[in-house]
């Protein structure tokens, strides 16, 4: 997918990343598009302005969150997932990429140095997909090289694409996790418009796993439809015929959730989607979700399937769920957000020591406040 | 046509039938009664036409285009009056005319529905969207946005009976917009039930939202829904509207929220079995998200306190609470 137009900030004219955009319009200003769909087709390459490294904005202390960190250097996305929260979030919808890797890394290094004992998982997907466009992929490759030199960080690329070529042959030092959001083909076709089909995602996954990258799997958002049980069971079988459980660093499971204001937006933008017509309840975080018993059934099914394919050794966690749901699904629950952060770090240290070389100090994680 | 020349304007005596009243929005308001309409008619009955009709010249139109005095003309026609006094102003620019009309009608545009009808009326009369957005909307206290105008125009297209209902109940813009996105057939059917059931503003909204979601989820059409045996039975029963309303509302809710309904039914069953004669109340989170039971009781004497403590420490109470918690 090629952007219809590219605007380059003059400060970046000599930046190596910009060399791929000869002939781009040069302007200090973003085209400032407001239409969500239109913005997806126009790229603005921007210098870094202000802080872009922070904890995931979805964190809510009433839920058990994985407290991942993110760099918000990508804004908007060429894909068209019907459930995407960006429809209701962006004011300037222009697909924007902060290209200044050095400045991004300087901010990260400065901030992570304040907690040298902590294992930072840092995602690039907060406001977009990590590998959706060739320009983003080069950016991702630059970050992979930078992260290879860090001590207590791991870069999390998360995508629904199959464009992994720029990641091949990089010396990643196990410091980058390439992850995929996964759904059955029925959902990809109807609700994840313009993304790579499942087979392509799996082929890409196989390739990066062969290059030694740890793989992350995100069965999130799970979406309810007739026959969902068989479809998700089939999905897990397909995934684990492409990669081995020992390649998988973590698995997250979550279900569809969106703000009430999004309902109308989704119905207008994607009238044939039925995701908003399912039975949904409003949670304490003002997000619609499937009723708790339904979510529990969905998550339990995933866990059973993972067990059946021998992937129960992979660290699996629920995304943005309540402790009582954890208890129902796993029979136990992390007592705090810091506890889950610790459990993830401990699992990575044990299974992927190159990625997290030091044993995480439990006490310090438990004392974290959010 | 008799013409009397005045120093400042031309005043003519014209037969009311010769006047072009195509800019009459007040007739569109019928039967959307607004505050001033009835008062005005009463005044005309009492004293006749006291002030002249205001009109402008329009190229290619031999008849003066009336811009003020529509109700007087209507009254004159119905009272079989031969001529009325008409002041004819020179031609007006579109902007000037639209501002005049809006200022004139603004005090009567007191609900979202009539504002929507007025904006639609202007579009129908071929005033430019840009002029409406920039000149009219601010006078009506609306943000001058194209998108907002489009929303109002969509509202104006709602079924007439529903518009009347929304006007009477003074529906907010948000509510009207919400309705404007529902299938027309559904809106017509639900508003057609008014009288058989007791429709309030919030119930109308609730039924529209829930039934629309059911239709989309189950790939059903409006007719098929209202043909469901349970729906036909409720609407056809020999009961008062409020009973039918309650039953229909419950049925729709159960269909829209099957999982919640069934878990609530189980919890209610436990409540009935264990706590029906207890001196305290049991409440639980209706969304089923939080595993939490709230027990409340009030006492007005030491004896009542003793019985409350006894009831709370009863083995059956603990058993009932545990059963309830197990549903979470
Ligand atoms: S891939 Fe992510 S960011 Fe892109 S449209 Fe889908 S949900 Fe939104």
């Amino acid at each position: 997918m090629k952007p219809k137009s590219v605007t380059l900030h003059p400060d970046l004219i000599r930046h190596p990343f910009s060399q791929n955009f000869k002939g781009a319009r040069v302007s200090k200003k973003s085209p400032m598009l407001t239409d969500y769909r239109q913005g997806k087709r126009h790229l603005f390459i921007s210098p870094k302005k202000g802080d872009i490294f922070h904890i995931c904005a979805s964190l809510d202390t009433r839920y058990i969150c994985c407290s991942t960190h993110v760099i918000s250097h990508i804004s908007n996305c060429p894909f068209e997932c019907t459930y995407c929260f960006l429809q209701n979030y962006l004011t300037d919808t222009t697909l924007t990429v902060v290209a200044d890797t050095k400045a991004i890394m300087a901010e990260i290094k400065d901030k992570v140095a304040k907690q040298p004992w902590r294992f930072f998982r840092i995602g690039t997907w907060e406001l977009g997909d990590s590998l959706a466009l060739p320009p983003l992929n080069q950016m991702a490759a630059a970050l992979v090289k930078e992260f290879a030199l860090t001590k207590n960080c791991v870069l999390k690329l998360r995508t629904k694409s199959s464009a992994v070529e720029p990641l091949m042959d990089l010396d990643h030092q196990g410091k980058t996790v390439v992850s995929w959001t996964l759904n059955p083909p029925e959902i990809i076709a109807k609700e994840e418009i313009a993304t790579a089909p499942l087979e392509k995602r799996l082929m890409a996954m196989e390739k990066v796993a062969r290059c030694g990258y740890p793989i992350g799997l995100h069965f999130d958002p799970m979406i309810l439809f007739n026959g969902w049980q068989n479809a998700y069971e089939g999905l897990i079988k397909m995934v684990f015929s492409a990669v081995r459980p020992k390649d998988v660093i973590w698995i997250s499971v979550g279900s569809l959730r969106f703000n009430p204001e999004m309902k109308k937006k989704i119905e207008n933008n994607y009238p044939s989607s039925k995701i908003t017509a399912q039975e949904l309840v409003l949670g304490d975080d003002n997000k619609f979700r499937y009723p708790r018993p339904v979510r529990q059934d969905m998550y339990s099914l995933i866990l059973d399937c993972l067990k059946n394919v021998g992937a129960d050794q992979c660290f699996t966690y629920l995304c943005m769920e309540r402790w009582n749901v954890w208890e129902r699904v796993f029979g136990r629950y992390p007592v705090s957000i810091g506890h889950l952060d610790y459990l993830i770090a401990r699992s990575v240290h044990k299974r992927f020591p190159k990625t997290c070389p030091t044993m995480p100090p439990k006490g310090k994680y438990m004392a974290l406040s959010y | 046509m008799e013409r009397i020349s005045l120093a400042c304007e031309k005043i003519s005596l014209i037969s009311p039938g010769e006047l072009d009243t195509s800019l009459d929005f007040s007739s569109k308001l019928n039967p959307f009664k607004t505050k001033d309409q009835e008062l005005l008619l009463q005044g005309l009955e009492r004293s006749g036409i006291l002030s002249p009709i205001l009109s402008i010249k329009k190229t290619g139109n031999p008849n003066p285009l009336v811009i003020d005095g529509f109700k007087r003309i209507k009254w004159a026609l119905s009272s079989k009056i031969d001529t009325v006094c008409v002041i004819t102003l020179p031609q007006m620019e579109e902007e000037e005319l639209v501002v005049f009309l809006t200022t004139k009608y603004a005090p009567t545009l007191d609900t979202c529905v009539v504002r929507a009808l007025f904006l639609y009326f202007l579009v129908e009369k071929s005033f430019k969207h840009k002029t409406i957005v920039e000149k009219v909307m601010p006078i009506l206290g609306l943000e001058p946005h194209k998108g907002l105008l489009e929303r109002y125009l969509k509202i104006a297209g709602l079924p007439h009976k529903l518009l009347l209902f929304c006007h009477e109940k003074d529906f907010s813009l948000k509510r009207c917009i919400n309705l404007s996105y529902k299938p027309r057939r559904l809106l017509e059917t639900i508003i057609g039930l008014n009288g058989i059931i007791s429709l309030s503003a919030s119930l109308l909204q609730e039924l529209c939202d829930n039934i629309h979601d059911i239709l989309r989820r189950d790939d059903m059409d409006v007719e098929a829904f209202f043909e469901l045996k349970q729906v036909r039975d409720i609407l056809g029963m020999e009961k008062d509207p409020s009973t039918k309303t309650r039953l229909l509302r419950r049925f729709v809710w159960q269909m829209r929220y099957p999982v919640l309904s069934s878990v609530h039914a189980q919890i209610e069953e436990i409540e009935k079995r264990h706590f029906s004669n207890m001196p305290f109340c049991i409440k639980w989170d209706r969304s089923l998200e939080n595993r939490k039971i709230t027990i409340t009781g009030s006492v007005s004497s030491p004896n009542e306190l003793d019985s409350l403590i006894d009831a709370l420490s009863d083995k059956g109470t603990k058993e009932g609470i545990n059963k309830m918690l197990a549903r979470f």
Side-chain angles (χ1 to χ4, degrees), chain A residues 267 276 292 295 322 328, chain B residues 216 219 288-290 326 328:
Chain A
E267 288 166 12
T276 58
R292 192 183 40 75
R295 305 203 306 272
R322 306 189 65 89
R328 284 276 181 195
Chain B
R216 292 195 305 127
D219 267 332
L288 301 179
E289 285 295 289
N290 299 291
F328 282 83

Side-chain angles (χ1 to χ4, degrees), chain A residues 98-109:
Chain A
V98 174
D100 212 342
T101 325
K102 291 270 175 287
I104 295 174
M105 286 314 293
E107 185 188 338
I108 295 175
K109 280 178 192 160

Side-chain angles (χ1 to χ4, degrees), chain B residues 1 47 113 141 143 175 177 188 190 240 261 266 278 321:
Chain B
M1 191 191 286
S47 343
V113 168
E143 293 284 330
R175 270 212 165 132
I177 290 175
E188 284 167 348
I190 295 180
D240 59 291
S261 307
Q266 292 165 19
M278 290 295 189
I321 298 284

Side-chain angles (χ1 to χ4, degrees), chain A residues 36 40 76-81 83-86 125 127-129 160 195:
Chain A
Y36 169 67
K40 287 172 176 286
N76 210 349
C77 168
F79 296 152
E80 295 232 23
C81 302
Y83 51 76
C84 181
F85 87 107
L86 296 178
W125 35 258
L127 301 177
D129 183 288
K160 289 182 187 127
T195 63

